[in-house]
Amino acid sequence: MNRKMVFDIPEEIIHILDILNKNGFSAYIVGGCVRDILLGQTPKDWDITTDAKPEDVKRFFPRVFETGINHGTVTAVINDTNYEITTFRTSTYEETSTLTEDLSLRDFTINAIAYHPQEGIIDPFSGISDLEKSTIRAVGNPHDRFEEDPLRMLRAVRFSSTLGFKIDDSVLSSIKENCSKIEKVSVERIRDELSKILTSDRPEEFVTLRETGLLKHILPEFDICFDITQNHPYHIYNVAMHTLRTVSSIEKNTALRWTMLLHDTGKAVTKTTDNKGIDHFYGHQKKSMDIAKRVLERYKFDNATTQKILILIKYHDMRINPDNKSVRKAVSKMGEDIFPDLLKVQKADKSGQNPEYFDEGTAILNKIQEIYLDIKKNNQCLTIKDLAINGDDLLAMGFEQGRDMGVVLKMLLNAVLENPELNTKEKLMELADDLENSFYK
Ligand code: CTP
């Protein structure tokens, strides 16, 4: 790689570097953005490192606010975009540091490369060579780096899953030794790394989390799934390997991927073996939902995401027959907004099972999808509010407000789900009349 190569960097960055240079300071772009450019990718954000102190930086830019003053970071706003400017890292409490010292305190060599438009690439830890070898190697001694911030152990696995890089053996063995220290890290930071691994091209890197020992400290509920075998005609993998195949099969959406990750965790606590040696997991759906609730609360997921994941897990095994009536009932039970996701979950689940049954199972799910689209196209009634009769009509007929009214509306909806032709005011009033006689006789 040509160390004098010219990077295509935004004008605002050049402007920031220029201002700092003109005022006698040195400044470089550094970290993820340099790594991404060298990999031919577009950086998500730009980090600048400088020997200027935050109070100096604040003098040079009209719009600056403190975002991580403890770490020496201020954010300059230029043309409505934020640029993080951080004073060189230092390992001691000394006043000054150098670029090399700053780079020596970063996690991995591929993240410890700096660039300046005039000076070119500065790479004292051979990050470029590791980029070329697709290797994640610590800057210096991995123990020291993990001691400074144990989250870096999880970041190693994350970069391996997002970039498809190999983790160097020295890093792997240091993670094995230090894995319990991950418990000191905040749940939000762990959650975000796990979500990045899950939504990457290689969620199977969870196997590395298992092998290094990290998994039992952050997700013991999933860790034990590696020990749960499934002797059943539908299954050829243990619960964890089945699960990871289903994660890879569903689209890269955070909620859907967490759903797949947790959907069978209840199997670890429900396994029984019958006298023919076949394993069963009766009631695992409900148990998985309880376990998922605990995990999602622990990781402080927002309510909407949690509720969505829990419903999908609860119904992930719901048997739906490929006929209109059965699909209407399933959509009504799940809610229209979430039913298409349930089909995605059920399809993904099939791809983690015995391939012998894959085509048959998928064909049924495709048929269900077709029926669902047809029901939508024809605006068929799926909820109480779609009924051709409402509460006022029932009041006028003599029903009492409250629980009875709710029960009657539910019964009418069930009748309409069975037979959509009943959804006229006249027919529903007739039906309600029959019900009234049986209610108040
Ligand atoms: N860094 C570090 N240790 C951490 C986090 C970050 O040494 N625990 C350093 C690395 O040099 C990293 C830079 O800070 O490249 C920026 O961190 P961050 O934005 O969190 O990650 P990126 O490497 O930029 O990767 P991405 O943007 O893909 O998350």
Side-chain angles (χ1 to χ4, degrees):
M1 210 167 284
N2 175 4
R3 268 143 224 255
K4 273 283 169 198
M5 72 189 278
V6 179
F7 284 14
D8 186 13
I9 49 182
E11 260 174 49
E12 290 81 356
I13 299 282
I14 307 271
H15 170 73
I16 294 171
L17 298 180
D18 269 356
I19 291 195
L20 289 165
N21 290 163
K22 279 193 189 118
N23 284 282
F25 296 101
S26 52
Y28 304 84
I29 62 166
V30 71
C33 58
V34 178
R35 177 198 69 222
D36 289 347
I37 294 176
L38 290 168
L39 287 171
Q41 297 169 1
T42 312
K44 289 182 286 296
D45 45 33
W46 298 86
D47 291 319
I48 292 160
T49 186
T50 176
D51 58 354
K53 295 275 183 291
E55 53 277 18
D56 293 320
V57 178
K58 283 194 314 221
R59 283 191 289 127
F60 304 139
F61 300 95
R63 287 179 67 201
V64 192
F65 51 95
E66 295 178 357
T67 39
I69 205 73
N70 293 340
H71 302 104
T73 304
V74 296
T75 298
V77 188
I78 302 172
N79 296 338
D80 290 331
T81 305
N82 293 350
Y83 298 92
E84 286 206 339
I85 307 172
T86 307
T87 307
F88 287 159
R89 295 166 182 225
T90 164
S91 60
T92 56
Y93 290 98
E94 279 172 37
E95 272 292 287
T96 54
S97 178
T98 60
L99 175 64
T100 310
E101 181 170 9
D102 173 286
L103 296 175
S104 76
L105 293 168
R106 291 176 182 268
D107 51 5
F108 304 110
T109 60
I110 59 169
N111 292 338
I113 310 171
Y115 173 81
H116 185 279
Q118 273 89 50
E119 293 176 44
I121 294 168
I122 295 114
D123 178 24
F125 302 101
S126 307
I128 291 182
S129 154
D130 285 331
L131 275 179
E132 285 165 348
K133 287 189 260 180
S134 303
T135 299
I136 295 157
R137 189 190 318 279
V139 174
N141 185 340
H143 289 277
D144 298 340
R145 297 292 82 75
F146 296 153
E147 194 65 50
E148 284 155 6
D149 182 2
L151 184 77
R152 289 169 166 174
M153 297 186 281
L154 201 44
R155 279 170 59 89
V157 182
R158 190 254 287 189
F159 287 120
S160 139
S161 66
T162 54
L163 302 174
F165 280 22
K166 175 181 169 302
I167 305 175
D168 186 67
D169 286 343
S170 61
V171 173
L172 279 176
S173 57
S174 180
I175 297 177
K176 282 181 191 159
E177 248 172 76
N178 292 292
C179 62
S180 65
K181 295 189 183 130
I182 194 70
E183 293 187 17
K184 291 194 237 164
V185 176
S186 79
V187 289
E188 290 88 345
R189 295 179 80 206
I190 294 176
R191 176 197 64 206
D192 292 348
E193 291 300 326
L194 288 176
S195 291
K196 284 180 183 171
I197 298 172
L198 280 175
T199 55
S200 75
D201 282 338
R202 299 167 199 81
E204 62 275 11
E205 279 299 321
F206 262 73
V207 171
T208 310
L209 294 181
R210 156 84 171 179
E211 287 168 356
T212 52
L214 282 170
L215 197 58
K216 68 172 178 293
H217 294 286
I218 52 183
L219 266 183
E221 299 86 348
F222 182 59
D223 188 61
I224 51 172
C225 294
F226 279 91
D227 301 318
I228 310 296
T229 51
Q230 312 191 83
N231 182 23
H232 191 282
Y234 279 172
H235 285 286
I236 55 173
Y237 305 107
N238 68 39
V239 174
M241 293 316 285
H242 154 75
T243 295
L244 292 178
R245 293 182 80 89
T246 69
V247 171
S248 304
S249 308
I250 206 156
E251 68 191 52
K252 290 177 189 152
N253 166 285
T254 305
L256 293 180
R257 291 216 155 176
W258 274 94
T259 301
M260 295 327 295
L261 182 75
L262 300 173
H263 82 283
D264 269 351
T265 43
K267 284 191 169 177
V269 290
T270 52
K271 180 170 165 172
T272 54
T273 307
D274 68 20
N275 53 18
K276 294 196 187 79
I278 305 291
D279 297 327
H280 301 278
F281 303 92
Y282 299 116
H284 78 274
Q285 300 85 345
K286 169 78 173 63
K287 285 276 185 239
S288 298
M289 190 175 91
D290 294 343
I291 292 168
K293 187 163 188 286
R294 260 199 341 257
V295 170
L296 298 170
E297 278 171 4
R298 182 165 87 235
Y299 278 114
K300 301 192 176 160
F301 274 83
D302 64 88
N303 258 340
T305 308
T306 303
Q307 286 318 315
K308 177 177 172 172
I309 295 174
L310 295 184
I311 291 194
L312 289 171
I313 292 179
K314 181 173 176 189
Y315 292 118
H316 77 266
D317 263 346
M318 179 162 66
R319 274 288 280 277
I320 310 166
N321 293 328
D323 62 62
N324 287 358
K325 199 196 290 184
S326 180
V327 176
R328 273 197 304 274
K329 285 186 172 174
V331 178
S332 178
K333 187 163 173 178
M334 292 288 300
E336 253 180 271
D337 48 338
I338 209 162
F339 186 78
D341 283 336
L342 180 73
L343 290 184
K344 289 177 194 168
V345 167
Q346 294 202 337
K347 277 188 193 175
D349 206 6
K350 289 270 169 292
S351 47
Q353 295 172 355
N354 188 344
E356 245 182 68
Y357 301 98
F358 179 77
D359 289 345
E360 190 191 332
T362 305
I364 294 176
L365 289 169
N366 286 339
K367 179 82 196 141
I368 291 172
Q369 179 143 11
E370 250 173 60
I371 295 172
Y372 167 69
L373 292 175
D374 218 46
I375 290 171
K376 293 280 292 168
K377 204 170 82 196
N378 294 325
N379 277 326
Q380 287 190 3
C381 165
L382 295 166
T383 63
I384 285 178
K385 69 174 172 25
D386 300 331
L387 286 171
I389 200 170
N390 61 27
D392 289 341
D393 299 324
L394 292 180
L395 277 180
M397 288 177 70
F399 281 95
E400 283 162 24
Q401 189 91 45
R403 213 177 66 91
D404 287 357
M405 179 92 78
V407 172
V408 173
L409 286 167
K410 243 193 194 134
M411 288 168 98
L412 294 177
L413 175 64
N414 277 338
V416 172
L417 291 171
E418 287 277 340
N419 177 8
E421 284 176 13
L422 291 177
N423 198 22
T424 67
K425 194 162 184 170
E426 199 186 0
K427 287 186 182 144
L428 290 181
M429 281 178 89
E430 220 173 279
L431 254 177
D433 212 31
D434 292 346
L435 288 171
E436 191 182 24
N437 291 336
S438 62
F439 257 59
Y440 300 120
K441 70 170 182 241

